Amino acid sequence: MTTPEANKPFSMIREFQLADWFTLGNAVCGMGALFAMMTFLQEGAVRHVYFACGMVLAALVFDVLDGRIARWRQQTSAMGRELDSLADVISFGVAPAVIAYGCGMQGLYDRIVLAYFVACGVSRLARYNITAEALSEGGSKVKYFEGTPIPTSVLLVALMFVAALQGALRESLWFGRVEFTGFTLHPLVLVFALSGSLMVSRIRFPKL
């Protein structure tokens, strides 16, 4: 049976906590980064790469703030955790991969590596969600991470930002390109493979 409260207009939005709105800000910034890279691919103006990288950094700020606000207001919830993971997939998984693609990593092997990176990020978040309670050891805060957190992909975005500043995009990408069986690999994309592998590793990192 549905309750009268559940039938009210925008009842789901009414249930959002303050931290959830910051989480949505994270997702919106991630989408802004994707739109910026689409515009770069259309127009070729490097300022759109700068904007895309800046939006990922803004997403990181929202990601940090939503956790702090949730703990400050003591309003953590399963819904908030799921929202956070979905936003992180966009901002720190898909957006960095699309930035890399737009910057020139467009060969077949590049695409496979970038898809692997996103898949690792999604897997990392899923594992965190099902193990967060155990990792917190009965407390309200997780003591450590297993595998690097997906927001560490901002380091890859920073790398692409520097490449854009130096004009090392597309055919001028650092380390050039390699041909295997008629398909292209840009060696720079291997940093995404490393990042993804670290995300799904069992290495423990203390949570600060």
Side-chain angles (χ1 to χ4, degrees):
M1 176 181 284
T2 58
T3 63
E5 182 69 24
N7 290 324
K8 287 184 178 180
F10 307 109
S11 58
M12 185 189 74
I13 295 177
R14 291 169 183 267
E15 295 173 0
F16 278 10
Q17 306 295 338
L18 178 60
D20 297 334
W21 292 105
F22 279 80
T23 303
L24 291 178
N26 171 0
V28 169
C29 288
M31 282 305 304
L34 294 175
F35 290 143
M37 288 310 298
M38 292 178 194
T39 305
F40 172 69
L41 288 170
Q42 290 176 327
E43 300 180 2
V46 73
R47 68 177 181 274
H48 297 298
V49 178
Y50 302 150
F51 183 73
C53 294
M55 291 302 288
V56 174
L57 179 60
L60 179 64
V61 173
F62 278 109
D63 188 50
V64 171
L65 288 177
D66 71 3
R68 292 185 181 275
I69 290 171
R71 289 190 294 271
W72 167 54
R73 294 172 64 91
Q74 297 183 339
Q75 292 178 331
T76 57
S77 66
M79 180 176 180
R81 187 165 64 238
E82 295 300 325
L83 272 177
D84 187 64
S85 292
L86 292 171
D88 284 356
V89 167
I90 298 171
S91 299
F92 309 119
V94 177
V98 171
I99 289 173
Y101 179 87
C103 288
M105 301 178 207
Q106 299 174 7
L108 175 62
Y109 297 121
D110 298 331
R111 299 180 194 190
I112 292 172
V113 170
L114 294 175
Y116 168 77
F117 165 78
V118 174
C120 287
V122 172
S123 301
R124 166 67 175 75
L125 289 166
R127 184 177 68 186
Y128 174 79
N129 284 353
I130 64 174
T131 60
E133 185 173 348
L135 293 177
S136 65
E137 299 177 352
S140 60
K141 186 176 179 181
V142 172
K143 306 298 183 183
Y144 61 87
F145 294 113
E146 281 191 344
T148 52
I150 192 171
T152 57
S153 65
V154 295
L155 298 175
L156 302 177
V157 173
L159 183 67
M160 300 316 302
F161 179 80
V162 173
L165 282 176
Q166 296 185 357
L169 301 178
R170 295 177 171 169
E171 296 303 318
S172 301
L173 269 176
W174 293 324
F175 310 116
R177 54 188 286 174
V178 179
E179 298 287 336
F180 287 115
T181 63
F183 298 105
T184 301
L185 169 73
H186 291 87
L188 184 59
V189 80
L190 296 179
V191 297
F192 284 83
L194 175 61
S195 176
S197 298
L198 288 174
M199 287 181 198
V200 294
S201 71
R202 287 290 183 180
I203 302 172
R204 292 186 176 185
F205 297 89
K207 184 173 182 180
L208 302 178

